[in-house]
Amino acid sequence: MSSEISNSSDTNINEYYDDDQPTNRRIRLLSLHLNPPLEHHHHHQQLQVEACSGRAKMNVNAEKLTGYLRGKHRDVQEKVFEYFNSRPDLQTPIEILKDDYRELCMRQLVGLVREAGIRPFRYVVEDPSMYFAIIEAVGSVDMSLGIKLGVQYSLWGGSVLNLGTKKHRDKYFEGIDNLEYLGCFAMTELHHGSNVQGIQTIATFDPVTDEFIITTPNDGAIKWWIGNAAVHGKFATVFAKLMLPTNGVVTDMGVHAFVVPIRDLKTHKTLPGVEINDCGHKVGLNGVDNGALRFRDVRIPRDNLLNRFGDVSRDGTYTSPLPTVNKRFAATLGELVGGRVGLAYSSVGVLKIAATIAIRYSLLRQQFGPPKKPEISILDYQSQQHKLMPMLASTYAFHFATVNLIEKYAQMKKTHDEQLIADVHALSAGLKSYVTSYTAKSLSICREACGGHGYAAVNRFGSLRNDHDIFQTFEGDNTVLLQQVAGDLLKQYQEKFSGGTLTVTWNYLRESMNTYLSQPNPVTARWESEDHLRNPKFQLDAFRYRTSRLLQSVAVRLRKHSKTLGSFGAWNRCLNHLLTLAESHIETVILENFIEAVNRCPDASSRGALKLVCDLYALNRIWNDIGTYRNVDYVAPNKAKAIHKLADYLSFQVKNIAKELVDAFDLPDHVTRAPIGKQSLGEAYTEYTQYVGF
């Protein structure tokens, strides 16, 4: 097998040009490949190699679409981009050693805050949408920098603001804001990640000295993967079990958070009792200094307990506004949900960059063509459209869904409404899981779609893929988060049948339980006109029907299996079913948000483009799960065929405006930083050849 890497992922259609085959066969095959037949129009056009079939190309004003997408925080994102573009010394090179990368990342963060004057910390609580806009822009410049900034302000800073009280904010706010108090978020342990209640680090109150003693009782309790710990951190928010001695008996009060100094503020030397080691080189994000922490009876003042949800008085009395360990634990983790919101939003930012590079290259790259005709763009091939156009549609869908999530989160932080808190908790878990998993898969597809040139490090797919990969794990493993979504759906299902109320995101289940589970209408199951298939009501009904049926069937299965296996065994027996249910629900929420965004768009041309993209998102998802709809006769065979053909045709239509759609993301070349993804397609090869030395 040759070790040479082909410079294209282009479909090999040499056989179409074999001189032994009839010319008309060659033209017909290529025509069908380029332009899907339009049976769903109830008329048939003769496809021509030279001409696009179907309707005229839609006119899209990319600038107006950008204005709608970027929203009110465009200016601060531009400020981030311009600052790093003006500082070549702070731009991350293709090749850099781990230790050098960590120091560069620290300089980038200091420059952003102290030179550019961008102070994200004040927005964490006051204006979350501004904070997440900064996070997205910074992550677009360098993902390691985005994560390091998030550790400092979302995790370390956010834990102080959200889990502490006024005394903590007064003491630490300024130092966190100006980077004097660089900090860590020490939750994960060697033996425990997702199961936070199982962590083993302990914090024992000593009533004699009025201190807590932080102890790592065994190797399994070593805090692991702690960002900022290996090199730069001076403090850590340490999650530990609060052990309270009373009358000679030590009581476990559950997991609490404590501010623990780990390095001297002046000398930066590790403090007594604290042992810090480096987690070493990682698959990606090597600008972040992840470390491991062991505590050997480290004493801290009683005031270092972040005491919003539980406090210990001088005499050792424990008080809490919440009555049980589980409620305190839920409240503590609920306050940390902003990390998931930020990851979901940032993941969309990564997907925008990757889709932009891959689509611009696919418009530039030309391979093969009809006999004695010029070569054609590889995006003219239906196979390339199939890879990239549904992905582009999903990128838009995810954008609007995560923007809506941020708005809900900001509202939650202002109102502290319990119903909204529950809604945001489940929605952030579902979107973080679904979006990051989709982006991870899409990064590999983009790399493959760009062939050999996609394998060049300078074109960024490798670093994007490696840096983003861990998004599927931190802030909650994706499989675990989907189970939380499924659990919430089942809870809502049970409350519905016992007369309870449903939260905002789940409202459609009230209707669907009564409507969508009835036998499919044999007439509508066969409707196949384009108007019907592109009707948002049909699309939403289909999504909701699937979710409702999955919910009802898994509830029945759980009841059945719990009789013999118990609740835990039944859940495990139905686990794949539960994950499918959660994904179906999240896809429904995404579609709802997309349809609302289309309807809200003030510019007619942008609204038309978004409607086209939204229809592709919806019909592509329906087709991907067509077996579910066919199994219950929700969709008749002829309708399934019509959905498939229309989805292919919509991909073709989206291809015609693909350049405008990615241009609307408004990512300048100094942000995408990939020669093959230049906005001016004619400059791409020139910059690429110059990069390698010609």
Side-chain angles (χ1 to χ4, degrees), residues 261-262 264 269-275 295-299:
I262 60 173
D264 187 279
K269 289 184 178 179
T270 304
L271 292 172
V274 179
E275 184 181 347
F295 302 100
R296 300 185 187 275
D297 297 338
V298 175
R299 289 180 173 269

Side-chain angles (χ1 to χ4, degrees), residues 212-215 260-261 272-274 294-300:
F212 286 103
I213 305 169
I214 310 297
T215 306
V260 182
V274 179
R294 185 202 295 273
F295 302 100
R296 300 185 187 275
D297 297 338
V298 175
R299 289 180 173 269
I300 59 172

Side-chain angles (χ1 to χ4, degrees), residues 8-304:
S8 79
S9 63
D10 320 314
T11 305
N12 188 348
I13 55 171
N14 282 315
E15 63 268 26
Y16 293 172
Y17 306 127
D18 187 342
D19 289 337
D20 293 334
Q21 295 181 355
T23 301
N24 61 346
R25 173 173 167 75
R26 298 200 302 268
I27 295 175
R28 181 175 61 83
L29 286 172
L30 185 58
S31 299
L32 289 172
H33 193 53
L34 290 175
N35 303 305
L38 308 181
E39 284 95 334
H40 57 270
H41 284 178
H42 303 291
H43 67 274
H44 299 270
Q45 284 182 251
Q46 179 63 44
L47 297 174
Q48 301 295 327
V49 173
E50 299 87 351
C52 291
S53 62
R55 301 157 195 165
K57 176 182 173 180
M58 182 181 291
N59 289 320
V60 182
N61 186 320
E63 191 171 326
K64 288 184 177 179
L65 185 53
T66 294
Y68 186 57
L69 287 176
R70 294 287 296 275
K72 59 184 178 179
H73 298 308
R74 186 176 180 179
D75 289 348
V76 72
Q77 292 189 320
E78 293 295 336
K79 189 175 179 181
V80 171
F81 295 155
E82 288 168 9
Y83 172 71
F84 285 104
N85 189 42
S86 71
R87 290 292 303 275
D89 59 306
L90 293 181
Q91 294 170 12
T92 307
I94 300 298
E95 298 180 50
I96 185 170
L97 297 174
K98 170 175 65 69
D99 292 344
D100 294 338
Y101 195 0
R102 289 172 171 182
E103 290 310 311
L104 172 62
C105 200
M106 188 67 234
R107 292 203 312 275
Q108 291 172 333
L109 181 57
V110 169
L112 181 74
V113 172
R114 296 180 183 173
E115 290 182 20
I118 293 173
R119 306 291 280 265
F121 193 40
R122 65 195 62 185
Y123 302 118
V124 169
V125 173
E126 292 177 9
D127 188 356
S129 63
M130 170 73 92
Y131 176 73
F132 291 125
I134 294 170
I135 283 279
E136 182 193 25
V138 170
S140 298
V141 170
D142 187 293
M143 233 180 293
S144 283
L145 175 59
I147 296 302
K148 194 170 185 71
L149 186 150
V151 169
Q152 174 68 9
Y153 295 126
S154 289
L155 298 182
W156 153 234
S159 64
V160 171
L161 293 182
N162 295 316
L163 302 181
T165 49
K166 183 178 183 298
K167 64 183 179 183
H168 301 109
R169 289 191 285 273
D170 291 346
K171 182 175 182 178
Y172 295 108
F173 187 96
E174 186 61 31
I176 294 172
D177 185 46
N178 64 23
L179 300 177
E180 287 181 16
Y181 292 171
L182 280 161
C184 317
F185 184 83
M187 178 181 281
T188 298
E189 296 179 354
L190 180 61
H191 283 187
H192 286 90
S194 298
N195 181 14
V196 179
Q197 280 186 300
I199 65 175
Q200 300 173 70
T201 301
I202 57 175
T204 306
F205 180 62
D206 182 348
V208 176
T209 61
D210 196 27
E211 294 173 317
F212 286 103
I213 305 169
I214 310 297
T215 306
T216 303
N218 55 63
D219 285 354
I222 295 172
K223 295 297 183 181
W224 210 272
W225 294 125
I226 310 305
N228 276 351
V231 180
H232 299 124
K234 294 180 171 68
F235 295 87
T237 294
V238 176
F239 288 80
K241 291 183 176 180
L242 195 164
M243 311 303 286
L244 201 60
T246 308
N247 299 324
V249 178
V250 178
T251 305
D252 181 353
M253 305 305 296
V255 175
H256 289 64
F258 303 82
V259 174
V260 182
I262 60 173
R263 288 187 175 93
D264 187 279
L265 287 175
K266 294 181 179 178
T267 66
H268 203 63
K269 289 184 178 179
T270 304
L271 292 172
V274 179
E275 184 181 347
I276 305 175
N277 283 295
D278 196 325
C279 287
H281 200 274
K282 307 184 294 290
V283 170
L285 296 179
N286 281 299
V288 182
D289 52 314
N290 293 88
L293 300 171
R294 185 202 295 273
F295 302 100
R296 300 185 187 275
D297 297 338
V298 175
R299 289 180 173 269
I300 59 172
R302 178 171 52 88
D303 277 353
N304 283 28

Side-chain angles (χ1 to χ4, degrees), residues 408-571:
K408 282 180 179 287
Y409 176 78
Q411 186 182 358
M412 179 198 81
K413 297 298 285 185
K414 287 180 181 177
T415 64
H416 302 288
D417 180 79
E418 288 188 12
Q419 199 165 304
L420 193 56
I421 290 170
D423 196 31
V424 169
H425 181 77
L427 191 57
S428 62
L431 282 173
K432 182 269 181 185
S433 175
Y434 189 88
V435 170
T436 58
S437 292
Y438 186 94
T439 298
K441 296 181 181 74
S442 298
L443 288 165
S444 288
I445 292 170
C446 287
R447 206 294 302 155
E448 294 165 14
C450 294
H453 292 320
Y455 198 61
V458 70
N459 289 318
R460 294 198 65 197
F461 292 120
S463 60
L464 288 173
R465 183 171 58 188
N466 290 348
D467 286 345
H468 177 275
D469 193 62
I470 194 62
F471 279 42
Q472 300 173 94
T473 302
F474 58 23
E475 294 294 330
D477 174 85
N478 283 358
T479 301
V480 174
L481 293 182
L482 286 177
Q483 290 179 70
Q484 291 182 15
V485 175
D488 280 320
L489 286 168
L490 285 162
K491 180 182 176 183
Q492 298 297 330
Y493 176 85
Q494 291 164 353
E495 288 182 1
K496 195 272 177 194
F497 285 106
S498 61
T501 60
L502 292 176
T503 56
V504 180
T505 305
W506 280 234
N507 269 341
Y508 73 80
L509 291 174
R510 179 191 300 281
E511 180 185 354
S512 65
M513 285 298 126
N514 298 319
T515 305
Y516 298 120
L517 294 181
S518 61
Q519 279 297 107
N521 185 315
V523 176
T524 55
R526 288 169 172 76
W527 284 352
E528 56 180 288
S529 71
E530 181 176 342
D531 286 346
H532 169 68
L533 297 180
R534 296 187 67 176
N535 187 324
K537 185 179 187 309
F538 158 71
Q539 297 164 2
L540 272 176
D541 281 356
F543 277 51
R544 290 168 174 171
Y545 176 85
R546 177 183 59 169
T547 302
S548 301
R549 193 167 189 95
L550 286 165
L551 178 54
Q552 190 266 349
S553 58
V554 81
V556 170
R557 288 187 66 206
L558 285 168
R559 280 197 296 269
K560 171 188 170 185
H561 290 304
S562 62
K563 295 174 183 176
T564 55
L565 300 174
S567 58
F568 183 86
W571 186 272

Side-chain angles (χ1 to χ4, degrees), residues 385-386 389-390 616 646-655:
Q385 294 166 25
H386 180 73
M389 295 304 98
L616 175 57
L646 182 54
D648 278 350
Y649 179 65
L650 293 178
S651 284
F652 168 75
Q653 290 285 80
V654 170
K655 180 270 297 185

